[in-house]
Each structure stands twice: as C-alpha cells, then as structure tokens.
Amino acid sequence: MTDFTALLGPPERFRPAPPAAWQEVEAWIGAVLPADYKALVDSYGDAVLLGHLFLPHPRGGDPLLTFMKEERDTFHQAYDGHRDTLALAPVWDRLIPWAYHDWNGDLCLLVPPIEDGDGRGFGDGEWAVAVAYRQCPRIEVFEGGIGAFLTTVLGGGRGLPTGWPGGLRRWQSVDGSPLI
C-alpha cells in the first residue's frame, strides 16, 4: 500500500466514503477496486492534483459513480476506433475512469489485470493506470498501479505524462466541496 502522505502531505479528508458508497461503485464496475486507490480517494478525493487533475470522491461535488459513467461513455465514443490495436483490447469494456485532466482533456483510467495465454499480463495480476491523451489520440499504460503512477508523477521519476504542466500545487480541494 502506498503512503500517499509522503507525496501529498497529511490527509485532508477525515470522512471516508461510507462502505455503501464504495459498494455501489464496485457493483457498477463488477470488481473490487484496488485498496490503494480507495485509500487515495478517501483521504484526498474531491480535489485537484497538480493544479489540473480532478480526483472525484463518491460523496464529492461531482460524485465518483456519476463521473465514471459519464467519462466511460465519452472515452468509448472518442477512442473506440483504437480498441483493437491496443494491448488493452481484452479489458476495453472494463477500463475505469478515475481522474480527468482539465488542462487538456486527458483521462486517467484504472486497468484491471490482463492475463495472456501463459497467465501473465499487465501488472502481474495488479491493476495498472492508463492515460488516454485527447490531443493526440493515444493511450499510454503505466504498470504498478495508482501508487506507482502517482509516485512517478509527483516524485520526479519518469516525470509527468506528455503535455501535463509541472510546478503546480500537489493537492487542493475543489471549491465548495461538501467534504470540507
């Protein structure tokens, strides 16, 4: 489990989503979400990371489930022509929107484990993160899950995904958040 306090400071949300809210989201998805993703959202959701990456919360101003449904439809409309050319084809209908970059319209997706013929695939049984770039329609996969993705993006590592501005606040609450 990733220590998000090292990346984002002390948790700013002290009322995690009730279990029923997560159950509703996971029932729609048809899978249990990774624990580190849920911990991130519970502690820091309904906020903006890096000045532009919107991270919804199940009980936030733009509820997580509504966000996921709307963004999945938009994603499928925009990228459906690419579905057969990507390694993501086996889980295309199970990709889960989790964040939206309002600088350029990029969408972050959770990628469920993909197993190939010999039992291996992305993440060796772990969830990965994909970024769907709106400006130049392509999808980049970051293995290692949400913790590894944010550690890379916030901690220097490989750096920001293509076209994301740097040097901005790591975390700030969405104006008027009901979670304050």
Side-chain angles (χ1 to χ4, degrees):
M1 179 85 99
T2 302
D3 177 13
F4 292 109
T5 59
L7 298 171
L8 298 169
E12 298 284 341
R13 304 296 189 221
F14 303 104
R15 289 179 291 163
W22 282 116
Q23 290 167 355
E24 183 181 16
V25 169
E26 292 174 334
W28 179 76
I29 291 168
V32 174
L33 288 164
D36 61 345
Y37 166 71
K38 290 170 39 173
L40 171 70
V41 170
D42 275 340
S43 298
Y44 300 96
D46 204 30
V48 177
L49 306 179
L50 300 169
H52 294 284
L53 188 64
F54 171 62
L55 179 65
H57 184 280
R59 295 292 187 245
D62 183 6
L64 179 62
L65 185 56
T66 301
F67 170 85
M68 287 178 166
K69 289 177 178 179
E70 290 172 356
E71 291 302 324
R72 182 185 270 178
D73 287 344
T74 301
F75 169 74
H76 281 202
Q77 290 170 12
Y79 290 88
D80 206 49
H82 300 277
R83 76 182 301 155
D84 294 330
T85 61
L86 301 169
L88 298 173
V91 292
W92 188 260
D93 292 325
R94 295 180 20 233
L95 296 173
I96 310 300
W98 67 271
Y100 177 81
H101 201 278
D102 69 1
W103 175 268
N104 55 18
D106 296 344
L107 182 64
C108 294
L109 303 148
L110 290 171
V111 181
I114 300 172
E115 296 201 13
D116 58 22
D118 46 358
R120 296 185 39 222
F122 285 126
D124 294 325
E126 294 183 13
W127 292 67
V129 170
V131 176
Y133 297 100
R134 185 181 66 83
Q135 302 291 328
C136 55
R138 70 181 178 88
I139 300 172
E140 183 176 9
V141 177
F142 297 81
E143 293 189 49
I146 193 89
F149 174 76
L150 288 178
T151 298
T152 297
V153 169
L154 296 170
R158 183 168 130 186
L160 296 168
T162 306
W164 289 17
L168 302 171
R169 290 179 64 184
R170 289 181 174 220
W171 184 93
Q172 66 189 69
S173 184
V174 169
D175 289 338
S177 173
L179 302 177
I180 295 176

